[in-house]
Amino acid sequence: MTMRDAIAAFVHDGDTVAIEGFTHLIPTAAGHEIIRQGRRNLTVVRMTADIVVDQMLAGGCVARLVSSFVGNSSAGSLGELRRRIEHALPEPLEFEEYSHYGMVCRYLAGAQRLPFYPLRSYAGSDLVAVNDGIRTVTSPYPGPDGRQERIHVVPPVNPDVTIVHAQRADRAGNTQIWGLTGVQAEAVFAARRAVVVVEEVVDDEVVRSDPNRTVIPAHAVDAVVACPRGAHPSFAQGYYDRDNAFYRAWSHISKDPERLREWMERWVHGTRNHAEYVALLGEEHWAGLAVGEALSLPVDYGRRL
């Protein structure tokens, strides 16, 4: 599908939308299309709420954020997010916070259709006091000392739609990722619908020749969108590098509401699609993000004679 058609079909006002990708392969272009289509009152689930979340907030799309980290990826702050949480400007943001592993467990519970998921790492944490989604239960099994332990649990998350970015997929949706991976597979299986955005759609034979790179299988995917350079300013291993200058600039852009509004008008509302965004950046900019070749050695999977 095109990005426009995929977002129109699978993202609706009031939905819970998971947007995943850890440092690498962040589906920024999908976030921009959600803004262009004027979606409202979304609950956004993203472990590492970063620039794309700040932009979706500035676009008026997000009413509630569920996350385990907020920040501009070691390059500064998120101005729009801070204004909403710290000062309720221009309106408040409902924020539900977990640890990274707490979010992983929520996706695992959602993917496995479990009622909750146990974890030990909240012992002594202040998060328990500020998030009533973190509960304690009594283990039905006695421990080595004969006592039944009390342990923290988190609820499942089952998004209406999960959106992830990846390097490549075939037309059926068998999706391959290499380099940094996060919880893309778990987030996809937890969701009712899934949109996979890729740098390129490849022939079936390419995927079959290297099956172990298939992180997300076709039966879990509802739409495949080809969107080259769609993870910018994050990177896609083997395709383009991280745009560190953009990350550094974003703190200054988002700190000033007027400057942020002007940026959104030019780069998101002023472009019809991601191809226009890419063209607006210019080939010289992309040349600076080019990566060299680092081939993986071939593997002999073997076959019957």
Side-chain angles (χ1 to χ4, degrees):
M1 303 178 75
T2 66
M3 183 76 81
R4 179 179 293 137
D5 288 346
I7 297 304
F10 297 112
V11 181
H12 309 101
D13 290 354
D15 276 356
T16 295
V17 182
I19 297 176
E20 285 303 344
F22 185 75
T23 303
H24 176 231
L25 298 172
I26 296 169
T28 308
H32 289 177
E33 185 57 30
I34 290 170
I35 296 168
R36 290 188 193 98
Q37 294 194 19
R39 295 296 181 266
R40 294 292 181 266
N41 298 316
L42 300 178
T43 293
V44 169
V45 182
R46 173 155 174 72
M47 284 183 61
T48 52
D50 49 9
I51 285 176
V52 67
V53 171
D54 215 28
Q55 292 169 351
M56 291 175 69
L57 282 166
C61 304
V62 184
R64 181 168 173 260
L65 174 64
V66 181
S67 182
S68 52
F69 165 89
V70 294
N72 182 9
S73 303
S74 302
S77 253
L78 302 175
E80 185 69 12
L81 186 145
R82 290 191 64 169
R83 281 188 291 275
R84 289 173 186 255
I85 290 180
E86 295 174 1
H87 306 293
L89 293 174
E91 58 188 19
L93 172 67
E94 185 180 349
F95 180 43
E96 186 176 345
E97 184 179 9
Y98 294 85
S99 63
H100 273 341
Y101 186 57
M103 286 294 296
V104 170
C105 290
R106 292 201 67 193
Y107 279 126
L108 286 169
Q112 298 173 39
R113 300 305 188 263
L114 293 171
F116 57 81
Y117 207 94
L119 69 167
R120 290 189 180 278
S121 56
Y122 283 133
S125 169
D126 290 340
L127 278 177
V128 178
V130 298
N131 184 346
D132 63 6
I134 303 169
R135 310 281 176 87
T136 55
V137 298
T138 300
S139 168
Y141 304 105
D145 59 359
R147 294 187 299 175
Q148 290 172 285
E149 182 181 4
R150 296 280 290 172
I151 193 165
H152 289 105
V153 297
V154 291
V157 59
N158 293 109
D160 295 295
V161 59
T162 286
I163 303 172
V164 298
H165 195 97
Q167 279 102 335
R168 67 190 184 199
D170 62 21
R171 291 179 61 83
N174 293 298
T175 303
Q176 298 195 327
I177 297 175
W178 56 94
L180 281 169
T181 57
V183 291
Q184 287 97 327
E186 293 83 354
V188 162
F189 276 108
R192 295 175 178 86
R193 296 287 185 267
V195 176
V196 171
V197 184
V198 293
E199 292 295 316
E200 58 179 332
V201 174
V202 297
D203 292 338
D204 295 359
E205 290 73 17
V206 174
V207 170
R208 290 174 181 168
S209 73
D210 195 8
N212 280 34
R213 291 196 208 280
T214 302
V215 174
I216 300 166
H219 67 263
V221 176
D222 294 274
V224 178
V225 176
C227 186
R229 298 169 171 172
H232 179 270
S234 73
F235 66 104
Q237 189 77 40
Y239 289 79
Y240 46 89
D241 205 351
R242 187 178 190 265
D243 192 342
N244 291 310
F246 185 97
Y247 279 93
R248 289 191 294 270
W250 185 254
S251 294
H252 304 288
I253 294 168
S254 64
K255 185 177 181 179
D256 181 342
E258 180 60 23
R259 188 175 174 187
L260 175 56
R261 185 192 66 78
E262 291 172 354
W263 189 93
M264 294 287 293
E265 285 300 319
R266 182 184 185 196
W267 293 93
V268 182
H269 297 297
T271 55
R272 288 176 298 176
N273 51 45
H274 191 68
E276 289 194 2
Y277 172 95
V278 167
L280 190 58
L281 280 168
E283 282 307 314
E284 184 177 348
H285 186 93
W286 288 106
L289 301 178
V291 294
E293 195 174 69
L295 296 176
S296 176
L297 292 175
V299 172
D300 186 354
Y301 283 97
R303 62 182 177 86
R304 289 179 179 171
L305 295 174

